[in-house]
Amino acid sequence: MKRVYPPYGYDCLYKDNCPHLNFLSTLWVFGEYERAHEVYEEHLRIIDVFRDRLDDTMKRIRLLEKENEELKAKNTALHRRQFKANKKPEHAVSLAGRKRGAPVGHPGWFRPEPARVDATVHVPAPDRCPHCGSGPLVPGEGIREHVQEDIVIRPRTVVRRYVHKEAYCSRCGRSVVKAAPDELPNAPIGPVTKSVALYLRYRIGMSYRKVEEVMREIFGLAFVPASAVGFDRAAAKRGTPLYEDLREKIRASEIVHADETSWRNDGTGHYAWYAGNADLALFHIDRHRSTDVAQHLLGDNFDGVLITDRYAAYNGVHARERQTCLAHLITRARELTRELVLMETRDTKAEAFCDAVGRLFSDACAAGGDLLKGKREWGDAPRIEKQLRATLGKICAKPLKYKPAEGLRTFLTGKDRKFLFTFLRYPGVPPTNNQAEQSIRFLVIMRKLMFGTRSATGLKTHSILPSLIITSMRQGNDPRKFLETLLVSDTMTAQAALYRNGARAP
């Protein structure tokens, strides 16, 4: 019978070199056997770690593949648009080290004396001193002549010689004169020319050189582009009080549209802001695009209905009511639909969601337009809002896998959903911010044609003058005549000329 265990006290002669183990030591072989189990367990643990890492890596790869697919679809959709990216040329030269102005030694430019005088205006001596306001003044014997060249709205210039009677101011200790009704003292170019130049610049959108060319070729009146810059500065200085008053009127308005776009000033990124309505327009160019700028325009407690896109900076205005632009949401839904169609893996639920959102807000805009035009009774507004909210709730009931679409769904169901249908609760409020988009379009075109501004003074003039010109137009006035009034009249007269029927209140 074969024994399982050796007898007690048995000592194998071959334990150090067993012939059955290739003459290896039995103790060493048994030790290796025991250690092999530990190594095997360690290998199993290593395999488990690598398997977990591999699973995580595969998940990451699938996620990146999905993101890459989304980005490719978005990039393709962007390239299919009808405009090109605004990129700075690589060969653009920086002007940081170049001193502005004419080169050293360049001869100055002086206006030639007019060859004719079309009219002579005799100006009586002033009764009161234009500097200190004291009077009566002592009549003097001296005569001071001033030749001013101006244009009429026809292809020729008119030159007027102003002959001023002098008076002596005992308080100032000097002879003084007063200006004629249409005269700009000590200015060789008259207010009509300057108002037309300002109109061509800030209403038509011409560059300074083109304005100079129009004046020279059509009216025969020559000046350098730098003179047109001087017209801007003079008009902006006189229009600053009206601009500040206009901002207060915007803050007191019941309905205000607001928007912003990019701007360039001396190669640095800025932002052009707009706030206005059907009667008023206010532009402001600022370095920042923050809540502080929105509060600078509208205040921090705007007691009206503010119509904007989804930009969060307007939250600091704390408007009484807000209306989110539905046109932006329709555009966003269509963009997502174009991206989804281009993806290799179709997400039918996300596509159906975006299509439903676009149709819902298109119907809402149509209903809002009918209410504004009087095609629907205002009493139908609560019922329309209830129907729209119920439909929106059904559309946004389930979450989506496509992250951009899910982001839109989250917004439509978030805290800002109360701003979607404000136009159905307040008469006269439109469902879109198209008014602001169209208003700021002028500065967008000017930015593309003239590449922005180059100084802080330029920022100021390009904020003040477009605001006054467009406000004058919305008030039903002739902006060119208003600019002429602004140049020759006091602040109160210019303010009366700015608003409808001479009113000074909004």
Side-chain angles (χ1 to χ4, degrees):
M1 183 178 68
K2 185 177 181 180
R3 294 178 179 271
V4 179
Y5 296 100
Y8 178 76
Y10 176 78
D11 187 13
C12 182
L13 298 176
Y14 301 101
K15 64 180 181 180
D16 294 328
N17 52 356
C18 179
H20 299 287
L21 297 175
N22 199 18
F23 299 99
L24 296 175
S25 171
T26 57
L27 294 176
W28 180 85
V29 171
F30 186 74
E32 289 297 317
Y33 170 76
E34 290 182 338
R35 284 192 296 272
H37 180 71
E38 297 177 359
V39 173
Y40 176 73
E41 294 293 335
E42 179 65 22
H43 287 173
L44 290 179
R45 287 193 294 270
I46 293 173
I47 291 173
D48 291 338
V49 171
F50 279 108
R51 183 180 290 112
D52 292 339
R53 290 183 180 179
L54 180 61
D55 292 339
D56 294 339
T57 302
M58 294 303 298
K59 291 179 181 179
R60 179 62 176 168
I61 290 174
R62 287 192 292 268
L63 178 62
L64 292 176
E65 287 177 345
K66 184 177 179 181
E67 291 181 357
N68 184 52
E69 185 181 2
E70 294 175 1
L71 291 174
K72 287 172 63 178
K74 184 178 294 185
N75 186 49
T76 304
L78 288 174
H79 278 288
R80 289 184 178 181
R81 292 186 180 181
Q82 294 182 355
F83 58 86
K84 297 180 180 179
N86 187 10
K87 296 183 179 180
K88 185 176 180 180
E90 297 180 356
H91 61 276
V93 180
S94 174
L95 300 177
R98 178 179 176 270
K99 185 178 180 181
R100 296 178 181 173
V104 178
H106 184 78
W109 189 90
F110 302 93
R111 287 189 53 77
E113 190 72 19
R116 71 179 192 281
V117 176
D118 298 293
T120 300
V121 180
H122 293 274
V123 185
D127 298 323
R128 292 187 174 276
C129 178
H131 304 287
C132 62
S134 63
L137 304 179
V138 179
E141 298 297 329
I143 293 178
R144 189 178 303 178
E145 291 189 358
H146 171 219
V147 177
Q148 179 174 280
E149 190 175 9
D150 204 347
I151 66 171
V152 293
I153 308 302
R154 56 183 180 180
R156 66 181 299 270
T157 61
V158 56
V159 181
R160 297 185 180 91
R161 176 186 288 116
Y162 295 90
V163 181
H164 298 268
K165 292 289 292 182
E166 293 183 341
Y168 181 78
C169 176
S170 57
R171 182 176 179 180
C172 295
R174 58 180 176 178
S175 297
V176 293
V177 296
K178 71 176 182 180
D182 296 327
E183 179 189 9
L184 296 178
N186 303 318
I189 298 178
V192 177
T193 303
K194 293 183 177 181
S195 64
V196 171
L198 294 170
Y199 182 86
L200 294 175
R201 171 72 177 179
Y202 292 100
R203 179 67 189 104
I204 306 302
M206 288 186 174
S207 65
Y208 290 122
R209 294 188 181 278
K210 289 185 177 180
V211 170
E212 178 268 334
E213 184 178 353
V214 167
M215 289 297 180
R216 172 170 45 82
E217 296 294 336
I218 297 180
F219 299 102
L221 197 155
F223 55 80
V224 294
S227 298
V229 178
F231 303 164
D232 290 2
R233 294 183 177 181
K237 182 178 180 180
R238 298 180 70 88
T240 299
L242 278 68
Y243 179 77
E244 299 296 333
D245 177 72
L246 177 60
R247 183 168 58 190
E248 296 302 321
K249 288 178 169 55
I250 290 289
R251 292 182 176 186
S253 300
E254 295 182 357
I255 300 174
V256 168
H257 297 258
D259 197 10
E260 69 288 329
T261 187
S262 60
W263 188 263
R264 301 289 288 179
N265 182 63
D266 200 18
T268 304
H270 283 63
Y271 296 94
W273 292 70
Y274 165 80
N277 49 41
D279 298 321
L280 306 173
L282 181 71
F283 296 95
H284 174 71
I285 304 177
D286 199 279
R287 177 68 180 86
H288 303 284
R289 194 189 180 203
S290 62
T291 300
D292 294 337
V293 184
Q295 292 176 344
H296 173 75
L297 292 178
L298 301 167
D300 53 3
N301 284 290
F302 178 66
D303 190 24
V305 180
L306 179 61
I307 306 169
T308 66
D309 53 17
R310 295 189 288 167
Y311 187 45
Y314 296 105
N315 294 336
V317 175
H318 302 110
R320 176 165 54 90
E321 282 290 350
R322 289 270 300 276
Q323 170 62 53
T324 299
C325 178
L326 299 188
H328 281 76
L329 296 176
I330 295 172
T331 301
R332 179 56 180 162
R334 291 175 178 173
E335 290 176 352
L336 294 177
T337 300
R338 287 193 292 267
E339 295 173 11
L340 287 165
V341 170
L342 294 171
M343 293 179 61
E344 296 178 1
T345 305
R346 300 290 292 270
D347 190 339
T348 56
K349 292 183 178 180
E351 291 181 21
F353 166 78
C354 294
D355 182 65
V357 168
R359 285 188 283 104
L360 173 68
F361 289 131
S362 296
D363 294 340
C365 290
D370 290 342
L371 290 173
L372 291 174
K373 296 175 183 178
K375 295 182 179 180
R376 286 194 180 187
E377 297 293 334
W378 181 251
D380 295 338
R383 178 181 57 81
I384 296 173
E385 181 179 3
K386 184 178 180 180
Q387 292 176 349
L388 293 174
R389 289 193 179 278
T391 305
L392 182 63
K394 294 178 181 179
I395 295 173
C396 301
K398 297 181 180 180
L400 303 169
K401 295 182 179 180
Y402 186 54
K403 288 186 178 180
E406 174 62 17
L408 178 59
R409 191 195 72 87
T410 303
F411 171 79
L412 297 177
T413 57
K415 63 179 181 179
D416 292 336
R417 65 182 181 276
K418 59 184 178 181
F419 302 141
L420 296 175
F421 305 112
T422 305
F423 69 97
L424 295 171
R425 300 191 297 272
Y426 291 88
V429 176
T432 68
N433 200 27
N434 290 342
Q435 199 269 355
E437 298 282 345
Q438 295 173 1
S439 298
I440 209 169
R441 184 172 179 267
F442 168 75
L443 288 183
V444 173
I445 296 175
M446 178 174 281
R447 177 193 67 202
K448 292 182 178 180
L449 294 177
M450 305 168 193
F451 308 104
T453 50
R454 292 195 61 190
S455 65
T457 305
L459 293 178
K460 184 177 180 181
T461 57
H462 285 73
S463 299
I464 294 176
L465 296 180
S467 301
L468 299 181
I469 290 174
I470 296 181
T471 297
S472 176
M473 295 176 59
R474 292 181 179 177
Q475 292 290 321
N477 300 323
D478 184 347
R480 209 277 315 161
K481 289 186 177 296
F482 160 73
L483 290 171
E484 183 179 352
T485 304
L486 176 67
L487 292 170
V488 300
S489 303
D490 57 79
T491 301
M492 297 299 292
T493 304
Q495 187 181 41
L498 176 62
Y499 297 105
R500 186 179 297 112
N501 298 325
R504 294 190 178 93

